[in-house]
């Protein structure tokens, strides 16, 4: 397998990347924060009727914040990235992939990838703790998409998202 492609990042692609990256990277934290937030909202209603309005207000405010914030935590990173027009060049081989961004080249073996999310129009590849890339499927043929999907499924944690 020797597949070469490029992805030119647009603001819309950055938004999809940031949402997917944060959803995968902080999956457990998001769930925990949402559960704690829901418990605090319920406690807020209990406090309203049994303890006092100030305690209820505090519980409700913190609970709603903990339920909503995990879904919006990607926004700061997106605002920093959205105006940076970048083109990423990829070379996929049997053992791994090479990514060239600007003048910097990095290599990743498929086994070392943290996770891969296949979306309708792209692959979001989380390479490490603080790095990830997005491959635009519109630049690939159907055979190349199938080949990449199979390679990712064999070697890395893989998820298909219909969004």
């Amino acid at each position: 397998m020797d597949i070469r492609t490029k992805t030119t990042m647009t603001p819309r692609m950055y938004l999809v990347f940031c949402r997917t990256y944060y959803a995968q990277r902080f999956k457990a934290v998001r769930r925990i924060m949402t559960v704690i937030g829901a418990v605090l909202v319920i406690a807020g209603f209990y406090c309203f009727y049994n303890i006092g309005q100030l305690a209820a207000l505090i519980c409700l405010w913190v609970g709603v914040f903990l339920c909503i914030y995990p879904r919006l935590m990607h926004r700061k990173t997106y605002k920093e990235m959205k105006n940076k027009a970048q083109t990423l060049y990829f070379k996929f081989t049997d053992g791994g992939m090479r990514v060239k961004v600007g003048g910097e080249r990095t290599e990743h073996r498929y086994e070392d990838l943290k996770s891969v999310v296949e979306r309708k129009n792209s692959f979001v590849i989380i390479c490490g703790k603080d790095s990830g890339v997005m491959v635009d499927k519109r630049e690939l043929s159907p055979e190349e998409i199938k080949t990449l999907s199979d390679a990712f499924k064999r070697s890395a944690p893989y998820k298909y998202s219909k969004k």
Side-chain angles (χ1 to χ4, degrees), residues 74-86:
H74 68 276
R75 293 178 76 191
K76 180 180 178 188
T77 305
Y78 169 68
K79 286 179 182 178
E80 293 172 358
M81 295 170 64
K82 72 177 180 179
N83 294 324
K84 295 179 182 177
Q86 273 186 330

Side-chain angles (χ1 to χ4, degrees), residues 115-118 123 148-150 152-153 156-160:
S115 68
V116 177
V117 179
E118 182 177 355
F123 289 103
L148 283 178
S149 291
D150 293 341
F152 291 141
K153 286 177 188 174
Y158 179 85
K159 178 184 174 189
Y160 181 79

